[in-house]
Amino acid sequence: MKKQIKEEIDLLYKTYVNDLFSYALNLGFDRDTSMDAIHDVFYKICSDEKILDKIVNIRFYLLRALKNRLLDIYKQKRDVVEFSTDSETEEIPFNIHVTVEDLIIEEEEQDIVRAKVEQLLESLTDRQREIIYLRYSQDCDYEEIAQLMHITVPACRKLFHKAIIKLRKNPYSAILLLILLN
């Protein structure tokens, strides 16, 4: 492997590993499986150096490749339960674990706020939580989210809109939006 390409891949890894790791954990995978899947994605890039020339949006490519790899791992690990191959294939649980900066809120208040935000997020479906995470935490646009979730762009917009409406009905929605936007 050429030194320049190795340095480019190394920079990509350092730039995106935390976002990818967070996404994998939020999809419900453990730390080891998450890191293994991330390493598999970067191994694929290292194995085929020309892959970088074909990628238009590297962040989106990495998110999609990671989700596909995690789905493959999920399918391999299931023993008895059949996993359908229709549009529900991507319906693995998606959770957002909220963290609040220590400097903003006292430790006791953090627990109260975290519980309220998690309760608010619990009111959403797995797919709604995932779309909120991708939109606000990963700054994905609707086209990217639609591809990641294997739905159409109009369906993506509708799902996002329904999630926002559901969040707005709750008095703690302002807190969640502040946390997501930071």
Side-chain angles (χ1 to χ4, degrees):
M1 183 183 303
K2 296 178 186 173
K3 184 177 181 180
Q4 181 182 6
I5 293 173
K6 184 178 186 268
E7 289 173 357
E8 185 177 342
I9 293 171
D10 186 48
L11 179 62
L12 287 175
Y13 182 84
K14 288 177 182 174
T15 303
Y16 293 106
V17 69
N18 290 333
D19 287 340
L20 295 171
F21 185 65
S22 174
Y23 184 51
L25 291 177
N26 286 322
L27 284 170
F29 291 89
D30 62 71
R31 299 172 71 82
D32 292 336
T33 302
S34 299
M35 285 309 295
D36 286 347
I38 292 168
H39 292 151
D40 290 347
V41 168
F42 279 93
Y43 177 78
K44 181 179 177 184
I45 292 171
C46 290
S47 298
D48 183 8
E49 300 168 9
K50 295 182 186 198
I51 213 166
L52 291 175
D53 298 333
K54 301 173 191 173
I55 300 171
V56 177
N57 182 338
I58 190 67
R59 181 182 50 81
F60 173 70
Y61 170 81
L62 291 171
L63 287 170
R64 185 178 60 192
L66 177 61
K67 184 171 184 178
N68 289 339
R69 181 63 190 125
L70 289 168
L71 285 170
D72 289 344
I73 291 170
Y74 180 78
K75 289 176 186 177
Q76 290 171 352
K77 285 188 176 182
R78 77 182 194 291
D79 295 326
V80 180
V81 180
E82 281 297 315
F83 198 63
S84 67
T85 58
D86 58 21
S87 65
E88 294 180 8
T89 308
E90 286 72 40
E91 297 252 5
I92 52 180
F94 189 86
N95 299 305
I96 297 176
H97 301 286
V98 180
T99 58
V100 182
E101 300 294 328
D102 288 335
L103 299 174
I104 297 174
I105 301 174
E106 298 291 321
E107 190 172 319
E108 288 179 9
E109 293 172 337
Q110 282 182 1
D111 292 336
I112 293 168
V113 170
R114 184 178 297 113
K116 288 177 181 176
V117 170
E118 287 179 354
Q119 181 182 11
L120 179 61
L121 290 171
E122 290 283 321
S123 71
L124 299 176
T125 66
D126 290 337
R127 292 178 66 77
Q128 287 173 332
R129 280 193 297 272
E130 183 175 5
I131 202 168
I132 292 294
Y133 175 82
L134 290 170
R135 185 79 173 130
Y136 288 113
S137 295
Q138 295 297 327
D139 293 325
C140 292
D141 61 30
Y142 290 113
E143 290 78 16
E144 293 170 336
I145 295 169
Q147 286 183 14
L148 277 170
M149 297 180 75
H150 298 283
I151 57 177
T152 65
V153 174
C156 179
R157 290 180 187 275
K158 186 175 181 178
L159 180 64
F160 179 75
H161 182 70
K162 283 184 176 182
I164 293 298
I165 287 173
K166 193 180 272 189
L167 291 175
R168 284 184 182 161
K169 290 180 181 178
N170 192 297
Y172 301 112
S173 62
I175 295 170
L176 173 65
L177 292 175
L178 286 174
I179 292 169
L180 287 175
L181 295 174
N182 285 332

